[in-house]
Amino acid sequence: MQFCRLLFFALLLKVANSDATDYINNMTSRFTHEIENWVKLRQEETEEFKQLIHTLALPTALQRDDWHSFEGQENKFICIICKSVIKTFLSFRRKGMSEEDIRSRVIKLCTLLNLQTEEVCDGAVTINLPIILYIVDSRPDLDSSTICGVVLESKSCPLNNNEFDWTVDIDDSPPILIDSEKTNETLNIVQITDIHYDPKYEPYGNSFCDEPTCCRIGQNKTNTSGKVAGYWGDYNYCDSPWHTVVDALDYIKAQHENISYVYFTGDIIDHGVWETSREGNVESLNKSYYQIYETFGNIPVYPILGNHEPHPLNQFAPNTITDDELSTQWLYEMMADLWINFKWLPESTRTTILQGGFYTVSPKKGFRIIALNNNVCYSYNWWLWYQPQDPYGQLQWLADTLSQAEKDQEFVHILAHIPPGSSDCQTTWRREYIKIVNRYAHIIRAQFNGHTHNDELQLYFSTNDNSEVNNVAWNGGSLTTYQNLNSNYKLYIVDNNNYAVIDYENWMYNLTLANENANQRPLWYKSYSFKEEYGISDLSYDSLRVWLSRLTNDESLLDLYYRNFFKLAEPSLRNECSALCMEPYACRVIANLENQEAKCNNN
């Protein structure tokens, strides 16, 4: 009887999925046809075209949301939009349509579909289109299903292309264990991440605009809300003014006298993504890195790139791309020069930084830091369509570097901007990374990520025993308050012998109070230590596994984690959130691909 029920529900699910696929295919066909006619008829809008635009147009409230977060109807609609627009203009391009003609029509469609304001559509399309056209011109085999599958990789828009299913060669010999006795000596490692310095930030400017980023010079004309940007930052969609960046760095240096290392896990550039330029990015990168150098002096800083650093954002071109307008080489050359000239890194790291923005160093015997540029895995990196298989050979390099570290009896910390266990990272890259972590989990003592701006962590479960945690990735949060967050950084207390994280402290300030006292420096304070906050004796993998089990069964503990996730920022906590509402935040803790929801719900 139970088997019959399971079979019945399986059939229902299959029918539902089939119906959804048929709906998407039908709507895509209709919309593609209408866009083609709209282009041919010099943008004359038929009733069918108007109706489809009305149906598919993005609600304004979702304009700033990540497309990966869309659910239900919106998930289907963004897939239909992607496939229809890409399919139409792939066809027109291959029939000889010029860049300018494509640009003007895509900007118009972007505006009609309410994906962004006209100004943002214009800027975003203009700076991204040269890369996209180069890729599609070079890859006549590319189709809309592959492109949208990479960008969205959802149930509505799956990626079904064998070229994207590749593997890394990982040593499958038994792990070589290292004696990992604890010591009373500790290291103090500060993690700073996601500064997002905005050179256009205007204190008391417009904090309630229509663009992806507000509080910027020139936006006052659109402010009818009366909401103005705070002096030290703003909870709305605003980044960091320069004086806030300087204050944070100065406070960290003054507050913590015995800093061993600083891990900077990326993202200096602001969220003004529709109007970035290489020159502007260079200026912000130079200014920020010089400030970090001036502040911390002889303290070693280990930096990595964030996805906002290139122009356009997210775009990390293969080494074979030599056209200066398309290449990312300018960024790698700049970072190599800065990081090495500041004496943070040895000259030996230049080769891999120039190869793809990654490197490895050994600050002391028995300890290795591996710094990745895993922004290449970001699904909004258009170059994945061009060359999807292990960009820069970075994952193979990671596996080989860890293999050598194992032979050399070294423990390892890995720095990577994007949490590799998140859906932001393309599935195959993520799968191969997790396989590497699983093989070398015994020497990888911790991972450090940024990108999300939230105070969170990810636990990696052994693929041999899915009840066993074998690694952890700590997220540093962000200095920026974008969006509805307080600024923070973290101080990790690390064992000086086995390099495991013993505990960490989260430091932050209340932005509302800071702006109410704008003539005074923000009142930074230690908001918690992990062990004290969550009532655990240590941060061993077994203790973290038990903590996760408690998190999914204890509503008060989950509420505490939820509040810390948003860094106690009142705007994010204003609305009541039930246990069911908070459950996804516990699920985010699980990094592994396989049976993620089942593991979360079964703990």
Side-chain angles (χ1 to χ4, degrees), residues 20 81 89 91 97 122 186 221 230 248 253 260 291 325 328 332 342 365 421 425 594 601:
I81 290 169
F89 288 100
S91 175
M97 182 176 277
D122 190 327
T186 59
K221 60 186 178 183
K253 179 61 166 61
S260 307
Q291 190 66 38
E325 294 300 312
T328 320
Y332 299 147
F342 288 152
K365 184 176 175 58
C425 201
E594 299 86 0
N601 294 332

Side-chain angles (χ1 to χ4, degrees), residues 258-517:
N258 299 311
I259 300 174
S260 307
Y261 310 123
V262 174
Y263 290 168
F264 174 62
T265 45
D267 267 2
I268 285 172
I269 305 303
D270 60 77
H271 287 83
V273 298
W274 71 100
E275 54 182 3
T276 59
S277 66
R278 182 183 298 187
E279 295 73 23
N281 285 18
V282 166
E283 185 175 345
S284 290
L285 288 165
N286 264 320
K287 186 174 182 178
S288 299
Y289 273 120
Y290 271 98
Q291 190 66 38
I292 293 171
Y293 174 70
E294 289 293 325
T295 302
F296 292 106
N298 293 326
I299 297 172
V301 177
Y302 297 104
I304 58 173
L305 291 168
N307 61 295
H308 279 258
E309 265 64 290
H311 167 74
L313 88 159
N314 304 327
Q315 304 312 308
F316 294 86
N319 303 124
T320 54
I321 304 302
T322 56
D323 184 332
D324 187 57
E325 294 300 312
L326 305 174
S327 172
T328 320
Q329 205 57 37
W330 66 271
L331 179 61
Y332 299 147
E333 290 173 359
M334 179 185 180
M335 292 302 99
D337 287 343
L338 282 177
W339 297 346
I340 293 170
N341 290 345
F342 288 152
K343 308 299 182 186
W344 294 340
L345 304 178
E347 182 63 36
S348 59
T349 61
R350 187 180 296 273
T351 300
T352 54
I353 296 173
L354 294 180
Q355 181 181 333
F358 54 94
Y359 63 87
T360 184
V361 291
S362 176
K364 55 192 297 189
K365 184 176 175 58
F367 178 46
R368 179 163 297 280
I369 295 169
I370 297 177
L372 299 178
N373 173 17
N374 78 334
N375 304 291
V376 296
C377 79
Y378 201 16
S379 55
Y380 299 131
N381 176 20
W382 317 139
W383 290 106
L384 285 174
W385 317 341
Y386 181 83
Q387 202 297 93
Q389 300 192 1
D390 192 14
Y392 304 131
Q394 185 177 193
L395 282 185
Q396 189 61 62
W397 171 86
L398 172 63
D400 295 343
T401 303
L402 285 167
S403 177
Q404 188 60 49
E406 183 183 53
K407 293 181 178 70
D408 294 340
Q409 299 277 288
E410 294 175 329
F411 289 115
V412 174
H413 285 176
I414 296 179
L415 315 184
H417 180 66
I418 297 175
S422 79
S423 60
D424 284 347
C425 201
Q426 197 275 322
T427 299
T428 305
W429 202 101
R430 184 168 26 138
R431 180 194 70 198
E432 294 304 296
Y433 178 84
I434 290 172
K435 284 164 61 177
I436 294 169
V437 169
N438 189 68
R439 166 61 180 83
Y440 295 102
H442 61 295
I443 63 170
I444 302 170
R445 303 307 282 181
Q447 303 174 53
F448 300 87
N449 306 142
H451 185 62
T452 70
H453 301 185
N454 298 109
D455 179 3
E456 57 181 328
L457 70 151
Q458 285 194 322
L459 299 179
Y460 289 71
F461 284 79
S462 170
T463 54
N464 300 320
D465 179 358
N466 64 12
S467 67
E468 176 190 342
V469 172
N470 67 4
N471 225 257
V472 60
W474 307 102
N475 197 303
S478 64
L479 282 191
T480 186
T481 57
Y482 191 102
Q483 173 256 341
N484 286 339
L485 298 168
N486 284 315
S487 181
N488 83 298
Y489 67 89
K490 290 186 177 180
L491 174 68
Y492 299 90
I493 296 88
V494 175
D495 189 288
N496 194 35
N497 187 49
N498 65 19
Y499 303 98
V501 174
I502 298 171
D503 197 5
Y504 78 71
E505 298 172 356
N506 187 66
W507 289 74
M508 55 176 276
Y509 62 83
N510 183 302
L511 182 60
T512 299
L513 293 178
N515 284 332
E516 287 174 354
N517 300 277

